[in-house]
Amino acid sequence: MPRIYLTTPIYYVNDVPHVGHAYTTLNADAVARWHRLLGDDVYFLTGTDEHGLKIQRSAEENGLSPIEQADRTSVRFRETWELLDISNDDFIRTTEHRHHVAVQELLTRAYDNGYIEKNVYEGAYCVSCEAYYTDDELVEGNCPIHKRPVEQMSEDNYFFRLSAFADRLEAWLTDTPDAITPDGYRNEALGLIRQGLDDVSISRTSITWGVPVPWDEGHVFYVWYDALINYATAVGFGADPERFETWWPATHHVLGKDILRFHCVYWPAMLLAAGIEPLPRFHVHGFLLVGGEKMSKTGINKIAPAELVADFGVDGFRYALLRDNSFGPDSEFSYEALLGRYNSDLANNYGNLVQRVCTVVVKQCGGVGPPPRPDSPLAVVATAAYRETAEAWDRFQPAVALDATWRLIRETNEFLARNEPWKMEPGPEVDAIMGDALEALRIVCILASPAVPTASATAWARIGMDGAVGEQRLPEAAEWGQYPGGSAIGAGDPLFPRLKA
Ligand code: MSP
């Protein structure tokens, strides 16, 4: 059975989730759901990143201990993912015992292999990024991401010999065209490697909120080198070698472009240093921008997912965010754009199709769904829509996949508008048209379910289909002609009521 291990970044617990975090998690969730439809064995991980100075300081500001701060905020992420119907199989917290064990094991292997050594570090540090910057990376003396002042730090550190891996990393990226998608981000990672890689500091003595360095008490691992290892922890690294070997070769990391350097350069090198292969695959997306600026916890432009769910519903928010913001480039987030998407694609198209089909079958076909015609004009449309949808999910392009699925919805609506079955007398002609429309709708419910799981389940039941829509198996389930005919069709409230501006 094909297998896929999908991860999101683990989110910092200094503040509650915003729509930018939801964007990453939703894209990963939709892909995970697609792979379950394919019958793949899926393991989908998300979680929270709880160590480091950033968390320690925000705890102090809130009058809490770091673990209290982490407990309170981690649960907010969990609740948000439940609200958004995220289908994760696991939720990892870096403060868990299983993670400490894995971090110490992986970094001890790298140390034993001679890739970690002690030295003094001095440099400019951004607490929001939890990262050191060289002087020429700073913008007017400020952090290039947060545009805020950096701090000068100096400490005795363990260093990871990143420079030792430049050639192997370059060979990996040139030999593996799909190591990082979309391709522009592979070029970006190659650029970073070709610019030259300096060794990096991976431990701190100035803080205590972290995983202790097992061979030198008084040092804790610097938050990024603890955090990245969560991906290995969750599939059993350091605890269950058989489980780890089962999942690791199928690893796909989803992340925003802000953390490309850590994921696509440092993490593969750490894995090689610990003797772990094959290297994972990476899927990188751009920023959701508000007024041209990245939506961020420190900015005033952050929006809570719950605010949008209140207006659009869970499925409405899921669909509009995925469809309107392509995976890869930066994308301007706008409420008006989401509203436009919701009304055009959900209220006027998907919702309208379900409503029309059910109403006409109730009125003109005695409430019993007729079977489709094998030679329906919609059969070729459905076949092409499936092919394009599957191909786009495979390339990690949810917006393109949904566009292909929605073509089948639009064409089915047009087919009905052309034939006007609502004007016909009951009889074989109207049955033939409605059988075709029901079959197209059956396929749509399956293909749309990764983005709109609840509405698709409702539509599935309304057209009289048995079982769960999410348990259908592709590609067989997308083949034309399987609508059984003879099922009772239920009418109901609109799935996506039209919203006013
Ligand atoms: N804790 C680290 C990740 C460690 S992974 C081993 C971290 N956390 S974060 O909470 O600051 O952000 C994580 C991710 O949230 C980003 O990589 C990105 O995927 C997502 N986003 C945060 N703001 C975003 C936007 N404005 N737009 C799109 N994605 C955004 O970095």
Side-chain angles (χ1 to χ4, degrees):
M1 187 193 280
R3 194 170 277 131
I4 181 166
Y5 171 35
L6 267 165
T7 71
T8 74
I10 47 172
Y11 302 98
Y12 286 129
V13 289
N14 60 327
D15 207 349
V16 298
H18 59 64
V19 173
H21 306 118
Y23 178 69
T24 308
T25 305
L26 260 177
N27 272 287
D29 179 66
V31 172
R33 287 172 180 272
W34 176 261
H35 280 273
R36 290 193 196 103
L37 288 174
L38 292 176
D40 295 354
D41 201 4
V42 177
Y43 198 69
F44 174 26
L45 173 75
T46 187
T48 43
D49 187 355
E50 307 190 353
H51 290 131
L53 196 51
K54 191 207 286 271
I55 311 305
Q56 195 174 313
R57 286 202 182 156
S58 67
E60 280 162 19
E61 280 163 23
N62 296 328
L64 301 170
S65 67
I67 191 66
E68 283 170 336
Q69 166 78 29
D71 285 346
R72 287 188 191 191
T73 315
S74 181
V75 87
R76 301 293 298 277
F77 278 88
R78 252 179 220 267
E79 286 165 359
T80 301
W81 304 151
E82 274 166 32
L83 172 71
L84 298 181
D85 217 352
I86 301 301
S87 62
N88 53 301
D89 298 292
D90 192 358
F91 186 102
I92 192 167
R93 299 182 57 182
T94 53
T95 46
E96 287 173 65
H97 176 70
R98 59 170 171 163
H99 182 59
H100 283 222
V101 172
V103 169
Q104 293 188 332
E105 170 71 20
L106 194 142
L107 291 169
T108 299
R109 285 199 201 172
Y111 181 65
D112 291 345
N113 290 340
Y115 293 114
I116 293 178
E117 45 193 39
K118 205 171 188 177
N119 226 321
V120 178
Y121 196 90
E122 273 180 348
Y125 191 79
C126 171
V127 177
S128 291
C129 294
E130 292 279 18
Y132 277 104
Y133 284 99
T134 59
D135 287 343
D136 46 302
E137 284 170 334
L138 299 177
V139 177
E140 292 168 4
N142 290 329
C143 162
I145 305 266
H146 294 88
K147 316 267 180 338
R148 298 201 307 183
V150 288
E151 299 178 23
Q152 286 302 316
M153 297 253 219
S154 161
E155 46 180 337
D156 220 10
N157 282 179
Y158 280 97
F159 278 73
F160 172 52
R161 290 180 48 220
L162 180 64
S163 54
F165 295 94
D167 292 346
R168 288 173 74 185
L169 292 176
E170 187 171 348
W172 160 60
L173 287 180
T174 33
D175 297 348
T176 327
D178 58 1
I180 305 176
T181 73
D183 208 36
Y185 291 115
R186 183 171 66 108
N187 293 331
E188 194 174 319
L190 267 172
L192 290 171
I193 294 162
R194 286 174 181 156
Q195 265 167 31
L197 298 177
D198 294 330
D199 294 345
V200 285
S201 128
I202 63 162
S203 76
R204 300 286 182 272
T205 48
S206 53
I207 56 168
T208 48
W209 183 236
V211 180
V213 172
W215 62 86
D216 191 348
E217 281 174 26
H219 284 254
V220 298
F221 287 115
Y222 159 59
V223 59
W224 268 102
Y225 299 89
D226 141 9
L228 288 160
I229 296 169
N230 90 87
Y231 302 131
T233 308
V235 285
F237 183 79
D240 184 346
E242 208 177 312
R243 179 156 177 260
F244 182 71
E245 274 161 35
T246 307
W247 286 105
W248 194 253
T251 305
H252 290 245
H253 297 310
V254 181
L255 57 136
K257 69 177 191 182
D258 50 337
I259 53 178
L260 174 139
R261 186 163 55 121
F262 285 104
H263 279 79
C264 304
V265 181
Y266 295 14
W267 176 228
M270 284 166 70
L271 289 165
L272 294 174
I276 300 170
E277 286 188 88
L279 295 178
R281 286 183 51 187
F282 299 86
H283 305 281
V284 185
H285 66 72
F287 292 151
L288 284 189
L289 309 172
V290 179
E293 291 287 325
K294 180 188 177 210
M295 187 186 294
S296 74
K297 286 179 188 145
T298 46
I300 51 154
N301 60 7
K302 58 187 175 205
I303 301 166
E307 289 178 39
L308 297 170
V309 167
D311 289 359
F312 297 107
V314 173
D315 280 6
F317 171 65
R318 289 175 59 102
Y319 176 83
L321 197 68
L322 288 173
R323 174 66 189 86
D324 218 52
N325 302 280
S326 292
F327 193 94
D330 285 354
S331 180
E332 187 66 34
F333 168 88
S334 103
Y335 187 89
E336 291 69 27
L338 288 197
L339 184 70
R341 267 297 159 201
Y342 174 94
N343 278 331
S344 72
D345 291 10
L346 296 176
N348 295 352
N349 269 299
Y350 192 14
N352 184 38
L353 178 64
V354 174
Q355 200 69 5
R356 254 177 169 179
V357 168
C358 293
T359 312
V360 176
V361 174
V362 167
K363 286 194 184 147
Q364 328 281 101
C365 312
V368 177
R373 294 173 288 189
D375 56 348
S376 163
L378 288 178
V380 280
V381 181
T383 306
Y386 175 70
R387 198 182 49 241
E388 286 162 33
T389 299
E391 196 258 339
W393 283 115
D394 192 48
R395 285 190 295 115
F396 226 100
Q397 289 294 318
V400 180
L402 294 171
D403 186 41
T405 297
W406 255 251
R407 224 169 299 141
L408 176 58
I409 299 180
R410 281 192 296 272
E411 298 235 11
T412 308
N413 268 323
E414 282 164 23
F415 167 80
L416 291 172
R418 259 195 324 275
N419 287 289
E420 300 186 310
W422 42 85
K423 291 189 179 163
M424 295 175 181
E425 289 300 317
E429 203 183 347
V430 79
D431 284 355
I433 293 165
M434 296 320 292
D436 291 355
L438 280 161
E439 171 61 354
L441 192 48
R442 183 191 67 82
I443 295 170
V444 163
C445 288
I446 303 169
L447 302 188
S449 67
V452 285
T454 306
S456 297
T458 306
W460 183 258
R462 274 194 202 167
I463 62 171
M465 293 300 300
D466 288 336
V469 66
E471 281 165 22
Q472 305 310 304
R473 285 293 159 266
L474 295 171
E476 297 77 11
E479 276 163 27
W480 185 263
Q482 297 177 60
Y483 185 72
S487 317
I489 302 294
D493 293 336
L495 287 181
F496 302 102
R498 220 187 134 71
L499 295 175
K500 292 207 175 66

